[in-house]
Amino acid sequence: MKILVTGFDPFGGEPINPAWEAVNKINITRPDIEVVKLQIPTVFGKGPAKIVEKIKEVHPDAVLSIGQAGGRANITVEYVGVNVRVGRIPDNEGNVPDYDPAAADGADAYISNLPTRAMVDAIKKAGLPASMSFTAGAYVCNDVLYSIRYYGEHEGKGLKSGFIHVPFIASQVLDKPATTPWMSLDDIVRALEAAIVAIADNA
Protein backbone atom coordinates (compact mmCIF):
# COMPACT_ATOMS: atom_id res chain seq x y z
CA MET A 1 0.00 0.00 0.00
CA LYS A 2 1.36 3.43 -0.92
CA ILE A 3 0.60 6.15 1.62
CA LEU A 4 1.40 9.81 1.07
CA VAL A 5 2.18 11.42 4.43
CA THR A 6 2.33 15.21 4.64
CA GLY A 7 3.47 17.69 7.28
CA PHE A 8 3.37 21.47 7.44
CA ASP A 9 6.25 23.94 7.59
CA PRO A 10 6.56 26.08 10.75
CA PHE A 11 3.92 28.76 11.37
CA GLY A 12 2.66 31.16 14.01
CA GLY A 13 6.15 32.26 15.02
CA GLU A 14 7.34 28.76 15.91
CA PRO A 15 10.86 27.88 14.64
CA ILE A 16 9.89 24.29 13.87
CA ASN A 17 6.74 22.29 13.23
CA PRO A 18 6.61 18.90 14.99
CA ALA A 19 4.28 17.64 12.27
CA TRP A 20 6.97 17.79 9.60
CA GLU A 21 9.78 16.89 12.00
CA ALA A 22 7.92 13.68 12.85
CA VAL A 23 6.90 12.87 9.28
CA ASN A 24 10.50 13.25 8.19
CA LYS A 25 11.60 10.60 10.75
CA ILE A 26 8.98 7.96 9.92
CA ASN A 27 10.64 4.64 9.13
CA ILE A 28 8.42 1.69 8.31
CA THR A 29 10.17 -1.42 7.00
CA ARG A 30 7.18 -3.57 6.09
CA PRO A 31 7.50 -4.46 2.40
CA ASP A 32 3.78 -3.99 1.80
CA ILE A 33 3.84 -0.34 2.97
CA GLU A 34 5.46 2.43 0.95
CA VAL A 35 5.55 5.86 2.60
CA VAL A 36 5.97 8.96 0.44
CA LYS A 37 6.73 12.13 2.44
CA LEU A 38 5.82 15.69 1.52
CA GLN A 39 6.25 19.02 3.29
CA ILE A 40 3.48 21.50 2.54
CA PRO A 41 3.08 25.23 3.17
CA THR A 42 0.89 26.54 5.96
CA VAL A 43 -1.12 28.55 3.46
CA PHE A 44 -4.84 28.33 2.73
CA GLY A 45 -5.42 26.70 -0.64
CA LYS A 46 -1.74 26.19 -1.42
CA GLY A 47 -1.29 23.39 1.12
CA PRO A 48 -4.05 21.26 -0.42
CA ALA A 49 -2.92 22.18 -3.95
CA LYS A 50 0.59 20.87 -3.30
CA ILE A 51 -0.86 17.60 -2.01
CA VAL A 52 -3.08 17.21 -5.08
CA GLU A 53 -0.05 17.82 -7.29
CA LYS A 54 1.81 15.03 -5.47
CA ILE A 55 -1.20 12.71 -5.64
CA LYS A 56 -1.22 13.07 -9.42
CA GLU A 57 2.51 12.33 -9.50
CA VAL A 58 2.74 9.26 -7.22
CA HIS A 59 -0.85 7.89 -7.22
CA PRO A 60 -1.10 6.89 -3.54
CA ASP A 61 -3.77 4.62 -2.11
CA ALA A 62 -4.18 6.92 0.89
CA VAL A 63 -3.15 10.35 2.12
CA LEU A 64 -2.46 11.03 5.80
CA SER A 65 -1.79 14.66 6.67
CA ILE A 66 -0.21 15.75 9.96
CA GLY A 67 -0.52 19.10 11.69
CA GLN A 68 0.49 20.79 14.94
CA ALA A 69 -2.17 21.46 17.55
CA GLY A 70 -0.34 23.31 20.29
CA GLY A 71 -2.25 22.94 23.55
CA ARG A 72 -3.51 19.43 22.89
CA ALA A 73 -2.03 16.81 25.17
CA ASN A 74 -2.25 13.72 22.99
CA ILE A 75 -2.35 12.47 19.43
CA THR A 76 -5.75 13.35 17.98
CA VAL A 77 -7.11 11.56 14.93
CA GLU A 78 -9.51 13.85 13.14
CA TYR A 79 -12.94 12.50 12.22
CA VAL A 80 -14.40 15.32 10.11
CA GLY A 81 -13.40 18.37 8.09
CA VAL A 82 -15.77 21.30 7.52
CA ASN A 83 -16.24 23.57 4.52
CA VAL A 84 -14.92 26.80 6.01
CA ARG A 85 -11.69 28.77 6.17
CA VAL A 86 -11.13 31.06 9.16
CA GLY A 87 -7.80 32.76 9.83
CA ARG A 88 -7.54 32.94 13.61
CA ILE A 89 -3.98 34.11 12.81
CA PRO A 90 -2.56 34.95 9.38
CA ASP A 91 -1.24 32.00 7.42
CA ASN A 92 2.35 32.06 6.15
CA GLU A 93 1.42 34.40 3.30
CA GLY A 94 -0.64 36.75 5.47
CA ASN A 95 -4.06 35.47 4.42
CA VAL A 96 -6.85 35.86 6.99
CA PRO A 97 -10.02 34.37 5.49
CA ASP A 98 -13.24 35.21 7.30
CA TYR A 99 -15.62 32.25 7.10
CA ASP A 100 -14.86 31.63 3.43
CA PRO A 101 -15.80 28.24 1.94
CA ALA A 102 -13.00 25.84 1.08
CA ALA A 103 -15.05 24.67 -1.92
CA ALA A 104 -18.03 26.61 -3.23
CA ASP A 105 -19.70 23.46 -4.55
CA GLY A 106 -18.60 21.18 -1.72
CA ALA A 107 -20.60 19.48 1.00
CA ASP A 108 -20.84 21.16 4.39
CA ALA A 109 -18.44 18.53 5.74
CA TYR A 110 -16.60 15.36 4.78
CA ILE A 111 -15.81 12.54 7.17
CA SER A 112 -12.35 11.00 6.94
CA ASN A 113 -12.52 7.68 5.13
CA LEU A 114 -9.41 6.35 6.84
CA PRO A 115 -9.96 3.74 9.60
CA THR A 116 -9.94 6.39 12.32
CA ARG A 117 -11.03 4.18 15.22
CA ALA A 118 -8.46 1.54 14.33
CA MET A 119 -5.79 4.26 14.14
CA VAL A 120 -6.63 5.53 17.64
CA ASP A 121 -6.62 1.96 18.98
CA ALA A 122 -3.25 1.21 17.33
CA ILE A 123 -1.63 4.29 18.82
CA LYS A 124 -2.93 3.38 22.27
CA LYS A 125 -1.72 -0.20 21.81
CA ALA A 126 1.73 1.25 21.16
CA GLY A 127 1.54 2.76 24.65
CA LEU A 128 0.85 6.33 23.61
CA PRO A 129 -2.11 8.62 24.42
CA ALA A 130 -4.54 9.13 21.56
CA SER A 131 -8.16 10.08 21.02
CA MET A 132 -10.68 10.84 18.33
CA SER A 133 -11.22 14.52 17.61
CA PHE A 134 -14.42 15.90 16.15
CA THR A 135 -13.04 19.32 15.32
CA ALA A 136 -10.00 20.05 13.18
CA GLY A 137 -10.62 23.76 13.68
CA ALA A 138 -11.05 26.07 10.68
CA TYR A 139 -7.40 26.92 10.01
CA VAL A 140 -5.10 25.41 7.37
CA CYS A 141 -5.18 21.94 8.95
CA ASN A 142 -8.93 21.70 8.44
CA ASP A 143 -8.48 23.19 4.97
CA VAL A 144 -6.22 20.26 4.06
CA LEU A 145 -8.47 17.64 5.66
CA TYR A 146 -11.58 18.96 3.91
CA SER A 147 -9.98 19.78 0.57
CA ILE A 148 -8.31 16.41 0.06
CA ARG A 149 -11.53 14.61 0.90
CA TYR A 150 -13.29 16.93 -1.57
CA TYR A 151 -10.71 15.96 -4.20
CA GLY A 152 -11.24 12.30 -3.40
CA GLU A 153 -14.99 12.63 -3.83
CA HIS A 154 -14.76 14.54 -7.12
CA GLU A 155 -11.61 13.39 -8.90
CA GLY A 156 -9.65 10.85 -6.90
CA LYS A 157 -12.27 8.14 -6.75
CA GLY A 158 -11.27 5.50 -4.22
CA LEU A 159 -8.65 7.72 -2.57
CA LYS A 160 -8.65 7.49 1.21
CA SER A 161 -7.53 10.49 3.22
CA GLY A 162 -7.52 11.92 6.71
CA PHE A 163 -5.67 13.97 9.28
CA ILE A 164 -3.86 13.69 12.61
CA HIS A 165 -2.99 16.54 14.99
CA VAL A 166 0.11 16.26 17.17
CA PRO A 167 1.14 18.26 20.29
CA PHE A 168 4.07 20.61 20.75
CA ILE A 169 7.46 19.03 21.36
CA ALA A 170 9.66 19.95 24.34
CA SER A 171 11.73 22.69 22.70
CA GLN A 172 8.54 24.58 21.79
CA VAL A 173 7.27 24.96 25.36
CA LEU A 174 10.40 26.37 27.01
CA ASP A 175 8.95 29.88 26.88
CA LYS A 176 5.35 28.87 27.45
CA PRO A 177 3.39 28.34 30.70
CA ALA A 178 4.58 25.35 32.72
CA THR A 179 1.25 23.59 32.21
CA THR A 180 1.53 23.63 28.40
CA PRO A 181 1.31 20.01 27.21
CA TRP A 182 3.96 18.49 24.99
CA MET A 183 5.14 15.11 23.73
CA SER A 184 8.56 13.86 22.72
CA LEU A 185 9.29 13.83 19.01
CA ASP A 186 10.20 10.14 19.17
CA ASP A 187 6.82 9.30 20.70
CA ILE A 188 5.02 11.31 18.02
CA VAL A 189 6.95 9.37 15.36
CA ARG A 190 5.99 6.06 16.97
CA ALA A 191 2.35 7.13 17.10
CA LEU A 192 2.32 8.06 13.42
CA GLU A 193 3.99 4.80 12.46
CA ALA A 194 1.34 2.88 14.40
CA ALA A 195 -1.41 4.83 12.65
CA ILE A 196 0.10 4.17 9.23
CA VAL A 197 0.29 0.44 9.89
CA ALA A 198 -3.36 0.54 11.01
CA ILE A 199 -4.31 2.20 7.73
CA ALA A 200 -2.58 -0.56 5.76
CA ASP A 201 -4.01 -3.35 7.91
CA ASN A 202 -7.55 -2.02 7.59
CA ALA A 203 -7.50 -1.06 3.93
Side-chain angles (χ1 to χ4, degrees), residues 23-79:
V23 168
N24 202 33
K25 292 186 69 173
I26 289 170
N27 181 28
I28 294 176
T29 58
R30 272 181 42 171
D32 61 324
I33 301 175
E34 177 185 355
V35 174
V36 179
K37 303 173 185 178
L38 177 69
Q39 187 181 60
I40 61 173
T42 307
V43 178
F44 286 101
K46 288 190 176 180
K50 188 167 184 179
I51 297 173
V52 169
E53 180 182 333
K54 195 69 172 180
I55 289 169
K56 292 178 178 179
E57 175 191 340
V58 303
H59 305 289
D61 301 295
V63 179
L64 175 61
S65 297
I66 313 301
Q68 168 192 294
R72 294 193 187 184
N74 64 357
I75 304 293
T76 47
V77 178
E78 298 296 343
Y79 186 79

Side-chain angles (χ1 to χ4, degrees), residues 73-155:
N74 64 357
I75 304 293
T76 47
V77 178
E78 298 296 343
Y79 186 79
V80 60
V82 295
N83 190 10
V84 67
R85 292 171 173 170
V86 180
R88 59 179 179 80
I89 59 173
D91 69 13
N92 282 354
E93 290 189 355
N95 301 301
V96 189
D98 184 20
Y99 290 85
D100 301 337
D105 62 341
D108 291 338
Y110 290 115
I111 293 171
S112 170
N113 58 355
L114 293 180
T116 52
R117 292 178 66 184
M119 292 159 66
V120 171
D121 290 344
I123 296 168
K124 288 182 176 180
K125 191 171 289 187
L128 298 163
S131 62
M132 192 80 75
S133 167
F134 297 97
T135 174
Y139 196 56
V140 185
C141 291
N142 175 77
D143 190 32
V144 164
L145 171 57
Y146 180 89
S147 297
I148 301 308
R149 281 291 292 116
Y150 172 89
Y151 173 82
E153 290 293 314
H154 289 78
E155 296 184 54

